Amino acid sequence: MFDNLSEKLDKALHVLKGHGQITEINVAETLKEVRRALLDADVNFKIAKEFTARVKEKALGQNVLTTLQPGQLMVKLVKDELTELMGGDSEGINLSGTPAVILMSGLQGSGKTTFSGKLANFLKTKKSKTPLLVACDVYRPAAIDQLHIVGEQIGAEVYSDRENKNPVAIAKAGIAQAKSSGCDVVIIDTAGRLAVDTEMMDEIANIHSAISPQETLFVVDSMTGQDAVNTAKAFNDILNFDGVILTKLDGDTRGGAAISIKSVVNKPIKFIGTGEKMEAIDVFHPSRMADRILGMGDVISLVERAQEQFDEAEARKIQKKIAKNKFGFDDFLSQIQQIKKMGNIKDLMGMIPGAGKALKDLDIDDDAFKHVEAIIHSMTPEERSTPAKLNASRKKRIAKGSGRTIQEVNQLLKQFDQMSKMMKMMQGGGGKKMMQMMQNMR
């Protein structure tokens, strides 16, 4: 996420880090490199120029040249200005209607249908809502089927009418269906086009006028950079939408859309998509994103994801097993499943301060645990509960059954033993103190 921008900003600010001699000249030179980094990330030239001008004004206004740690102050000023440029504070979603109606808009290929499912899943699991998905894309082949598949994945009802080719009528019927079936949120997936055109704009405007949604969200592929910002402006001129959703932020994203879009349309980014799974949706926090862009990580989001998957009853059960030296591979497998639910592994690692730079050139497969799971699943129940019983012949059988080498089996056993010892050492308050520390960081 924003790897190139992060690297270039780090290089630009590097000269001012530490306690070296700072002058107005090298401050200006640094901000010139910052502007160049923003332009390379496909940020609008005017926005980039205004951004660096504001940072320079604040820097000189705060006497950055004479402070004890001028480099650190410059990083803070850049971070604060990035936060403000991306919206300042996170924005919530309006769910005041009965049912609350959310209209999804955007170009074809932006990820509207998939994100409609992600949003429904988010509202269902995080807000205890009962969503209904409505299929109003009557043009794209298999669009209705795709929404039904998404609905089945997350356990949400989907309304569609394959015989009806009138999106306005389908949207109204979907809302009526939600009222009769007790659904308190309606998410309407509309048709997209390959480019902005009059017919498309008229159709989405007619739907919007007919149903008066509580939220109109514009879904944009963040990999399209400045084009995304231009498209957002075109849609906003017609719909006056309430917020933006940025998809595919886990891809090769330059960052221009995330940084520029709020300034151009004056509408907040509300959610971001960070992967293909239905759980890969995050509320957009400008301050946290600025931290990540500047290589500072995002510990708060990492802790929140961990707490969402944290099962207190399961944790107590694990603690008892550790205390009695009965922690086995089934328990280990359970912990792996919880980590996987937290999201993309590389994305999680990128939330750790400083880790983003170290992982820049590493290709971390999202199925990084696959071979570990294969090895564990090749063990008998007795072997999983009592790893000490794994002799040479058993290891050979497990390696053959999992399609891995004996060396990999031995490596896993060694890692498991080390982890078990570390967890044992944490007994007696260590784990509790760690959780308390994590709570305090929120």
Side-chain angles (χ1 to χ4, degrees):
M1 191 187 289
F2 305 151
D3 287 345
N4 290 335
L5 176 59
S6 298
E7 184 180 3
K8 287 174 182 176
L9 285 176
D10 183 62
K11 286 179 180 177
L13 293 166
H14 184 73
V15 68
L16 294 177
K17 291 180 180 178
H19 303 273
Q21 182 71 32
I22 305 296
T23 67
E24 189 170 344
I25 293 172
N26 61 27
V27 165
E29 183 62 31
T30 294
L31 290 176
K32 181 181 177 183
E33 291 302 315
V34 168
R35 184 168 69 246
R36 185 173 294 165
L38 293 172
L39 293 173
D40 286 346
D42 211 11
V43 174
N44 177 275
F45 176 79
K46 183 183 176 184
I47 293 171
K49 187 177 179 181
E50 290 173 351
F51 176 91
T52 49
R54 286 194 299 270
V55 173
K56 184 177 181 180
E57 182 183 351
K58 290 179 181 178
L60 299 180
Q62 294 188 30
N63 295 318
V64 67
L65 309 184
T66 58
T67 61
L68 186 63
Q69 295 182 315
Q72 284 84 339
L73 179 55
M74 277 297 295
V75 172
K76 181 184 183 302
L77 291 176
V78 171
K79 188 251 183 183
D80 290 346
E81 200 59 43
L82 268 176
T83 300
E84 197 59 35
L85 189 61
M86 291 188 289
D89 299 316
S90 61
E91 294 271 352
I93 188 167
N94 182 7
L95 300 173
S96 59
T98 310
V101 179
I102 302 169
L103 180 65
M104 309 294 280
S105 63
L107 294 181
Q108 186 174 318
S110 61
K112 280 194 314 302
T113 302
T114 301
F115 206 91
S116 295
K118 289 181 180 180
L119 183 57
N121 189 53
F122 173 86
L123 295 174
K124 180 183 175 185
T125 58
K126 307 286 178 66
K127 303 292 183 181
S128 301
K129 296 292 183 179
T130 307
L132 172 73
L133 291 160
V134 179
C136 281
D137 185 349
V138 296
Y139 309 103
R140 183 167 61 89
I144 295 173
D145 291 335
Q146 184 186 352
L147 196 64
H148 275 281
I149 291 169
V150 165
E152 191 176 329
Q153 277 183 285
I154 62 173
E157 189 179 344
V158 176
Y159 176 82
S160 64
D161 185 347
R162 297 177 189 273
E163 303 304 316
N164 194 338
K165 299 302 178 184
N166 184 339
V168 173
I170 295 170
K172 286 182 174 180
I175 295 170
Q177 172 69 20
K179 289 177 180 178
S180 64
S181 61
C183 295
D184 48 14
V185 177
V186 178
I187 299 173
I188 298 176
D189 178 35
T190 62
R193 300 289 192 279
L194 293 175
V196 174
D197 61 55
T198 305
E199 184 183 352
M200 174 193 187
M201 288 304 191
D202 287 345
E203 181 178 293
I204 191 75
N206 289 337
I207 297 173
H208 185 272
S209 176
I211 64 174
S212 300
Q214 276 69 39
E215 283 277 335
T216 302
L217 300 175
F218 174 68
V219 183
V220 61
D221 180 348
S222 58
M223 295 175 71
T224 56
Q226 198 58 42
D227 287 341
V229 179
N230 298 332
T231 306
K233 188 177 185 308
F235 270 81
N236 194 50
D237 289 344
I238 298 294
L239 292 176
N240 189 25
F241 55 69
D242 300 293
V244 177
I245 290 171
L246 286 178
T247 61
K248 306 177 188 178
L249 270 176
D250 56 318
D252 184 20
T253 304
R254 287 187 285 177
I259 293 170
S260 305
I261 207 161
K262 170 64 167 66
S263 180
V264 172
V265 298
N266 196 29
K267 296 295 168 65
I269 301 171
K270 295 201 172 187
F271 294 97
I272 55 174
T274 56
E276 296 180 2
K277 296 178 181 177
M278 285 294 115
E279 297 78 19
I281 171 176
D282 283 327
V283 174
F284 184 75
H285 295 275
S287 178
R288 299 183 194 180
M289 187 58 69
D291 279 340
R292 294 192 69 173
I293 289 172
L294 291 171
M296 299 175 184
D298 184 2
V299 175
I300 296 174
S301 293
L302 183 60
V303 170
E304 285 177 350
R305 287 201 196 181
Q307 287 178 329
E308 285 170 9
Q309 301 303 327
F310 181 73
D311 187 325
E312 208 167 330
E314 182 67 19
R316 282 196 294 268
K317 182 180 170 185
I318 294 291
Q319 278 187 326
K320 288 178 182 178
K321 287 191 173 186
I322 293 168
K324 296 177 181 178
N325 286 324
K326 289 186 177 179
F327 183 79
F329 275 109
D330 280 324
D331 306 306
F332 184 47
L333 202 57
S334 174
Q335 300 303 301
I336 289 174
Q337 299 308 320
Q338 289 193 22
I339 292 171
K340 286 172 68 176
K341 286 179 184 176
M342 287 171 63
N344 178 282
I345 302 300
K346 191 167 185 177
D347 185 44
L348 294 175
M349 295 295 287
M351 292 181 181
I352 301 170
K357 190 190 295 186
L359 296 170
K360 182 174 69 72
D361 297 320
L362 290 179
D363 183 22
I364 301 177
D365 190 350
D366 205 25
D367 288 326
F369 294 115
K370 211 169 188 178
H371 72 281
V372 173
E373 293 172 307
I375 291 171
I376 295 172
H377 284 307
S378 295
M379 297 177 186
T380 65
E382 182 187 26
E383 289 166 347
R384 290 185 212 172
S385 61
T386 319
K389 291 190 175 183
L390 290 172
N391 55 28
S393 62
R394 288 174 183 249
K395 291 177 188 177
K396 187 176 180 181
R397 190 202 77 247
I398 291 167
K400 187 176 180 180
S402 61
R404 313 306 300 186
T405 65
I406 291 178
Q407 287 80 5
E408 286 176 303
V409 174
N410 284 329
Q411 185 181 18
L412 175 59
L413 290 170
K414 184 180 178 181
Q415 290 170 341
F416 177 79
D417 184 56
Q418 290 172 339
M419 188 190 74
S420 298
K421 287 176 181 176
M422 182 183 71
M423 292 173 79
K424 179 76 173 175
M425 287 170 63
M426 286 179 65
Q427 291 294 306
K432 188 176 180 181
K433 286 176 184 175
M434 182 178 285
M435 283 305 298
Q436 286 173 344
M437 181 181 73
M438 290 171 76
Q439 288 276 10
N440 292 336
M441 292 174 72
R442 294 193 69 179

